[in-house]
Amino acid sequence: MYRYDQHDQQLVDARVAEFRDQTRRYLDGSLSADEFRHLRLRNGLYIQRFAPMLRISIPYGLLSSAQMRMLAHIARKYDKGYGHFTTRQNIQFNWPKLEEVPDILADLATVQMHAIQTSGNCIRNITSDPFAGAAADELVDPRPYCELTRQWATFHPEFNWLPRKFKIAFSSSTKDRAATRVHDIGIHIVRNAAGELGYEVYVGGGLGRTPIIGVKIRDFLPEADLLSYCEAILRIYNLLGRRDNMYKARIKILVKEMGLAAFAEKVEAEWTTIKDGPLKLKDGDLERMKAQFSQFELDPTAAEDGSYAQKLSEDPAFAAWTRRNLKDHRVPGYKLVFLSLKARGVAPGDVSAEQMDAIADLADRFAYGELRATHDQNLVFTDVRQQDLYPLWQELGRLGLATPNIGLLTDVICCPGLDFCSLSNASSIAVAEEIFDRFEDLDYQHDIGSIKLNMSGCMNGCGHHSVGHIGILGVDKKGEEWYQITLGGSSGNDASLGDRTGPSVERAHIADAIQTIVETYLKERLNEEEGFLACYRRVGMPPFKAKLYAESQA
Amino acid sequence: MSILLDRHGQRLEDHYPELAADQSVPANQAVLVPWARFGEIPENSKAGLLLPNTTDVLALPEAALRLPLLVLEFPSFADGRAYSQASFLLQRRHYPGQLRARGQAVVHDQLNMLRSCGFTQFQLRGDQDIDLCARLLSNQPSASTLRRFPSLP
């Protein structure tokens, strides 16, 4: 856990006071509604369909048990008893009262949390691999780099009024688990041939109406130049990004319209002049940042435990859960554990206050008091000894958090949809539930294997539909809900955008359509080893299209 | 009457009346000249220059950088281009004169950001509470001045 020093605390406290004053001036009429909108958005406060929505920042998805308990408190005291984890590793509350938001922020500040820059046209929460620090395939722990970047981005005076929002993600492992290629800046921490650490930098990725996969702007940026390079990119974007049309204002459009070479030339020219200035990381900067993270000793004897193997052979339900919901840890005897937030009858990403408290207790008991939020809207305990897995699984089962479906069809990424959001065309949550019911049979899901189903209620793409192996997008046709389907998207190392199947499908047929697609895949695949994405990339759209539209006409 | 504050919240007098459309640029007098008429400014002028936020300041002629005052324009509350123009002027062009912010964003809630980006004068938007703004600049530490990377002027 990154622990605030006095300076960090002072900054967050000052922001609470500032926002309280802004709210007061809005309520007494001395601040216009339009200007307050800009200011409150920079503090994560939206006015939604039914009530305000407050988005709280969880930097790179990392939470302590104390913070989780505070979220439970906020859910209970100011909201309707639950919160919603988002695809930016943040959490949203959908029912706070505007007048109470300053109090919520003051409560959050007591556990080193805030809502700074979780919305608005500024640099948003820095996201990263939810397995950071524990992943078996990791080069270095990306979190100190993320934190450094967070501190640079927080209240950056020059970049608070950008043409549009700006998202930065870090990855430091062989497998990209942070969807870096669909970020405005995606940073891969790498080592060059000389053995030096540095970054491979991607720019101009993003989802939304015009989804674009980011392109590489730099093969290798020296480690000390992280912030100056980001600054150069942001400066060029701030000046040249389009402001005439909000749908063309993201950096992806600028890079596309200018061409990568011309854009890169301007960035390099700027970077060359500032790289040896105050933004250059000094010896010890990263070390100090690392030291601000709490350290815990892992148990060196963890791998000696025999009870885990025994439980695996005795209890098939436990064994099934371990196959889907555990990932390898860098240290033998430890596992990363997924808490599935995709249970039957629950909106994807939703957690109740009672669950939050219980999760905090479990984190203290089994996981060194820490947990992570993932961009696919689940939670992770990163450091669990194998001997603790069985009791943890039992507890999670009681809490409804042990659905063994991580990476399977019902592990849907989904936006809040019509139920909350004023932009949505689709009741995404209800559709997700229908799909859950249709595919609940776990044997069937296991047979289908790893697959990403992503759903967004509108073109803004909060549910990342364009990078789902199967994507579903809610569209409005004369006041009716229709759904456009895409196939073949990916947000991993092989990032790609899904292709449209054809005309959209009406609400009543969406679950049938997904079933048709899945059945077509099962028929077309070479063998069980060939996953949905690989199969689609091999056979292409025709067999899916033929089946899908033949049936809808029948 | 527009109100002008310096970096510490002190009132400044505005010595730069805007050049009228039918007026020619005086040889030795402080006056604010729009960018479109930059070419009419004589050498060693005391004029100030008003730049739209679409001007490429990296390509600004050296003569403009010798003027004692550059005014950057914020045409709307949420259009932050002039923040980066200021950075370019100070860091890449090493402009030594006064840098003034004017327009819709020169308000209480953005003064600290403007100051952090190196603006030296703030022409407050007409509806602003002058005392509140002056107080903000004179003492109150605010969230946006507590940043750590980098430490700015």
Side-chain angles (χ1 to χ4, degrees):
Chain A
M1 203 57 222
Y2 175 79
R3 293 161 299 182
Y4 278 16
D5 63 13
Q6 209 184 348
H7 189 98
D8 297 311
Q9 189 66 50
Q10 212 184 342
L11 181 144
V12 168
D13 291 342
R15 180 58 181 138
V16 175
E18 192 175 82
F19 190 73
R20 195 181 288 283
D21 182 58
Q22 288 168 347
T23 306
R24 179 190 60 75
R25 283 185 283 131
Y26 164 67
L27 291 172
D28 77 14
S30 57
L31 190 59
S32 74
D34 182 56
E35 291 185 5
F36 182 60
R37 183 176 66 87
H38 287 292
L39 298 171
R40 66 171 158 76
L41 282 177
R42 276 159 185 76
N43 219 53
L45 184 61
Y46 287 76
I47 306 294
Q48 292 268 44
R49 190 176 285 262
F50 301 111
M53 180 275 276
L54 179 65
R55 184 181 296 148
I56 292 163
S57 181
I58 304 175
Y60 31 94
L62 181 60
L63 275 171
S64 70
S65 53
Q67 291 176 330
M68 192 65 161
R69 285 192 190 92
M70 179 53 78
L71 295 176
H73 163 78
I74 287 166
R76 240 180 244 118
K77 181 167 175 190
Y78 303 102
D79 208 279
K80 294 188 174 178
Y82 64 95
H84 174 78
F85 283 95
T86 76
T87 52
R88 275 213 84 58
Q89 302 179 292
N90 289 323
I91 187 167
Q92 294 177 182
F93 288 103
N94 282 301
W95 309 96
K97 292 191 187 69
L98 187 132
E99 311 80 61
E100 290 183 344
V101 170
D103 296 331
I104 299 177
L105 297 175
D107 284 352
L108 286 171
T110 65
V111 292
Q112 311 187 344
M113 292 186 88
H114 59 76
I116 295 163
Q117 291 168 217
T118 53
S119 173
N121 296 337
C122 50
I123 305 172
R124 303 287 190 86
N125 187 28
I126 312 293
T127 53
S128 187
D129 182 0
F131 301 171
D137 64 345
E138 182 171 276
L139 177 63
V140 290
D141 187 343
R143 289 172 297 173
Y145 299 85
C146 295
E147 178 57 27
L148 203 64
T149 310
R150 185 190 77 83
Q151 294 191 14
W152 161 79
T154 301
F155 300 132
H156 197 303
E158 187 179 333
F159 305 137
N160 201 28
W161 306 96
L162 297 170
R164 199 72 183 85
K165 60 187 170 184
F166 203 93
K167 301 177 176 182
I168 303 176
F170 281 80
S171 171
S172 177
S173 48
T174 322
K175 191 170 185 291
D176 180 1
R177 285 176 291 263
T180 56
R181 301 285 301 279
V182 290
H183 282 74
D184 297 281
I185 295 180
I187 299 174
H188 294 190
I189 304 174
V190 293
R191 213 181 268 289
N192 67 6
E196 297 155 333
L197 280 173
Y199 321 92
E200 194 176 83
V201 184
Y202 292 83
V203 71
L207 297 173
R209 281 176 195 237
T210 318
I212 294 180
I213 303 294
V215 286
K216 199 196 281 182
I217 186 168
R218 217 164 204 284
D219 282 317
F220 187 80
L221 179 74
E223 192 184 32
D225 298 326
L226 173 64
L227 300 182
S228 57
Y229 201 78
C230 288
E231 180 123 333
I233 291 175
L234 263 299
R235 188 162 291 149
I236 301 303
Y237 168 57
N238 190 33
L239 278 166
L240 299 183
R242 286 180 63 171
R243 291 177 191 255
D244 58 329
N245 177 344
M246 73 174 278
Y247 299 116
K248 295 185 189 287
R250 294 282 291 271
I251 194 173
K252 61 193 174 189
I253 305 291
L254 178 67
V255 172
K256 206 168 177 196
E257 287 182 352
M258 277 180 82
L260 176 66
F263 179 78
E265 193 184 324
K266 283 191 184 292
V267 169
E268 294 282 327
E270 171 59 4
W271 176 65
T272 310
T273 65
I274 62 173
K275 73 189 185 72
D276 295 316
L279 283 171
K280 187 172 193 117
L281 300 184
K282 292 180 290 297
D283 285 347
D285 276 351
L286 272 164
E287 294 311 313
R288 262 194 302 283
M289 207 48 70
K290 285 174 197 161
Q292 293 271 107
F293 282 81
S294 45
Q295 303 291 329
F296 39 80
E297 291 285 318
L298 295 182
D299 177 1
T301 65
E304 292 163 22
D305 156 77
S307 66
Y308 174 53
Q310 196 187 336
K311 290 291 180 196
L312 279 179
S313 62
E314 283 171 11
D315 193 330
F318 174 61
W321 175 77
T322 64
R323 276 196 296 278
R324 283 321 310 184
N325 292 28
L326 299 186
K327 301 287 169 210
D328 286 336
H329 196 282
R330 64 184 165 80
V331 175
Y334 277 84
K335 291 284 182 192
L336 292 116
V337 178
F338 268 94
L339 285 61
S340 172
L341 302 186
K342 316 292 172 63
R344 185 162 200 281
V346 180
D350 272 12
V351 184
S352 72
E354 292 67 35
Q355 284 175 319
M356 289 183 208
D357 274 334
I359 291 167
D361 291 346
L362 292 176
D364 282 340
R365 230 173 107 194
F366 297 119
Y368 302 89
E370 288 188 359
L371 63 142
R372 318 285 175 93
T374 75
H375 88 267
D376 37 22
Q377 300 177 290
N378 290 303
L379 298 175
V380 169
F381 286 165
T382 42
D383 308 274
V384 181
R385 289 187 301 179
Q386 64 184 36
Q387 70 192 67
D388 293 332
L389 291 169
Y390 193 76
L392 174 59
W393 170 71
Q394 289 178 308
E395 296 284 354
L396 291 175
R398 279 191 273 279
L399 293 167
L401 299 168
T403 316
N405 63 346
I406 297 302
L408 296 180
L409 189 68
T410 55
D411 185 8
V412 175
I413 297 184
C414 178
C415 72
L418 267 178
D419 296 301
F420 299 101
C421 177
S422 32
L423 303 172
S424 184
N425 303 314
S427 35
S428 335
I429 292 174
V431 174
E433 205 163 292
E434 217 173 290
I435 290 168
F436 200 102
D437 289 346
R438 181 73 62 106
F439 293 96
E440 204 186 358
D441 177 36
L442 272 168
D443 289 338
Y444 186 35
Q445 277 196 66
H446 279 286
D447 189 33
I448 301 164
S450 291
I451 190 165
K452 274 184 184 297
L453 176 65
N454 296 359
M455 179 165 41
S456 306
C458 77
M459 285 168 84
N460 293 310
C462 297
H464 295 188
H465 63 276
S466 355
V467 290
H469 298 173
I470 301 176
I472 304 176
L473 165 67
V475 288
D476 176 88
K477 275 197 192 174
K478 296 180 185 141
E480 283 175 30
E481 287 175 43
W482 286 70
Y483 293 85
Q484 197 165 75
I485 302 170
T486 48
L487 301 179
S490 164
S491 63
N493 301 62
D494 56 350
S496 61
L497 301 171
D499 308 312
R500 282 185 199 174
T501 52
S504 51
V505 174
E506 60 187 309
R507 173 74 176 81
H509 292 149
I510 184 69
D512 292 336
I514 300 305
Q515 186 158 0
T516 302
I517 289 165
V518 166
E519 282 167 2
T520 308
Y521 154 65
L522 292 175
K523 195 163 144 286
E524 293 287 333
R525 70 180 176 187
L526 292 172
N527 50 47
E528 285 184 20
E529 301 306 308
E530 189 180 51
F532 182 88
L533 189 61
C535 173
Y536 173 76
R537 284 175 175 173
R538 182 176 55 79
V539 305
M541 185 62 82
F544 292 96
K545 193 167 181 151
K547 273 310 244 183
L548 198 56
Y549 295 103
E551 288 194 3
S552 69
Q553 275 159 17
Chain B
M1 239 301 278
S2 65
I3 300 297
L4 205 56
L5 298 180
D6 74 3
R7 290 172 63 81
H8 309 288
Q10 298 291 315
R11 287 280 285 269
L12 292 172
E13 225 174 298
D14 188 358
H15 298 294
Y16 293 84
E18 236 173 294
L19 186 71
D22 57 356
Q23 192 187 352
S24 56
V25 180
N28 204 14
Q29 201 181 313
V31 64
L32 186 60
V33 180
W35 170 237
R37 296 179 65 186
F38 170 70
E40 300 171 35
I41 301 177
E43 251 322 286
N44 302 319
S45 167
K46 287 182 180 168
L49 183 62
L50 174 62
L51 296 170
N53 72 355
T54 46
T55 308
D56 178 2
V57 298
L58 292 180
L60 210 58
E62 287 295 327
L65 300 171
R66 289 193 290 271
L67 296 171
L69 174 74
L70 293 180
V71 180
L72 299 183
E73 189 81 81
F74 289 85
S76 75
F77 181 76
D79 184 339
R81 275 176 276 199
Y83 282 103
S84 287
Q85 282 181 314
S87 289
F88 269 159
L89 282 171
L90 297 172
Q91 293 176 33
R92 280 199 40 197
R93 304 302 305 275
H94 308 289
Y95 175 64
Q98 296 295 319
L99 197 57
R100 181 186 297 180
R102 82 168 208 187
Q104 296 302 308
V106 190
V107 297
H108 179 264
D109 294 296
Q110 294 198 41
L111 283 177
N112 273 314
M113 290 176 250
L114 291 167
R115 181 168 58 174
S116 295
C117 284
F119 285 95
T120 58
Q121 302 184 353
F122 312 95
Q123 185 170 334
L124 298 182
R125 200 175 68 187
D127 63 348
Q128 294 298 293
D129 181 329
I130 301 159
D131 291 336
L132 199 66
C133 291
R135 245 197 335 273
L136 181 86
L137 288 170
S138 63
N139 51 28
Q140 283 182 24
S142 86
S144 62
T145 62
L146 287 165
R147 296 181 63 247
R148 194 163 7 208
F149 289 100
S151 34
L152 284 158

